[in-house]
Amino acid sequence: MVVLASVFIFLGLVFLLIAAIGMVRLPDVYTRSHAVGLTDTWGAFFMLLGLALYQGFSLNAVKILVVLILLLFLGTVISHATVRAALRSGLKPWSKVQE
Amino acid sequence: MRETLLFVAFFIVILIVVYLYRVIQGPTVFDRVLGLNGISTKSIILLVLIGTIYERVDMFIDISTGYALLNLVGSLAVAKYLEHRGSA
């Protein structure tokens, strides 16, 4: 059980690392939010799943799963809201040829 | 097992510093909002992680739940405000 938990935790860590790399490397708000919104949620999902497994079968594990589900809804709503605000306020998406 | 959790927590702190770079560097204000959202998600994970390290999980989970909801409301308010103010 503990080995499975650590596998999930490190898998979540890999996703969080990808999100950080995506956050720094990508040129524009839209591409960044695409990368970060996705991998952040997944990273949090696996990390919290691993921690819940580490707790074994107890009330704490259920509580961690509640946080996990909350985070799933939360991540998508927030990234959607910020990108829609960016689009609405007239931010042009990045294109390779700078006109 | 505690050492690996400690290592994971330390690694997440490094990732938070990377996000902080984006918040400071970000050309438009939306990069900053995105960075802050990322940092708050990471700090929620860090909270639960520290809870498991100190074996007092139930207290830390309630804190992270509250913080997650707080962050939701804050980010939506910022997004709603920036929508009309324009990306100056």
Side-chain angles (χ1 to χ4, degrees):
Chain A
M1 184 59 86
V2 177
V3 171
L4 192 62
S6 49
V7 164
F8 272 123
I9 286 177
F10 279 108
L11 191 59
L13 208 60
V14 167
F15 274 106
L16 292 180
L17 183 66
I18 295 170
I21 294 173
M23 188 61 141
V24 171
R25 289 281 299 162
L26 290 173
D28 182 71
V29 175
Y30 299 107
T31 48
R32 261 177 225 136
S33 68
H34 170 66
V36 165
L38 205 62
T39 45
D40 235 2
T41 319
W42 270 107
F45 174 79
F46 280 121
M47 185 76 80
L48 290 178
L49 198 65
L51 289 175
L53 285 179
Y54 179 68
Q55 293 298 322
F57 193 71
S58 69
L59 180 63
N60 291 339
V62 175
K63 274 187 174 180
I64 289 186
L65 290 182
V66 166
V67 173
L68 188 143
I69 291 166
L70 193 68
L71 217 52
L72 283 184
F73 286 118
L74 201 131
T76 47
V77 165
I78 288 178
S79 47
H80 168 70
T82 45
V83 175
R84 197 187 68 162
L87 196 64
R88 280 269 173 83
S89 74
L91 190 69
K92 288 290 170 293
W94 182 84
S95 65
K96 191 161 267 307
V97 48
Q98 291 304 93
E99 68 277 10
Chain B
M1 189 57 191
R2 279 168 63 104
E3 287 74 22
T4 52
L5 286 180
L6 217 58
F7 162 72
V8 170
F10 184 69
F11 195 81
I12 285 185
V13 169
I14 294 174
L15 290 184
I16 285 183
V17 170
V18 170
Y19 272 69
L20 211 58
Y21 159 75
R22 173 50 59 199
V23 168
I24 294 165
Q25 180 70 29
T28 65
V29 69
F30 296 105
D31 296 310
R32 294 191 172 89
V33 171
L34 218 57
L36 286 178
N37 295 340
I39 288 181
S40 60
T41 323
K42 291 217 176 354
S43 59
I44 293 168
I45 301 170
L46 200 62
L47 266 173
V48 178
L49 208 64
I50 290 174
T52 46
I53 289 176
Y54 286 144
E55 271 92 27
R56 201 169 293 112
V57 189
D58 42 13
M59 186 178 72
F60 277 89
I61 295 174
D62 303 340
I63 298 173
S64 61
T65 319
Y67 186 66
L69 290 173
L70 200 64
N71 169 47
L72 170 69
V73 173
S75 300
L76 288 185
V78 166
K80 181 63 73 175
Y81 168 69
L82 287 179
E83 212 167 297
H84 304 296
R85 198 183 59 74
S87 71

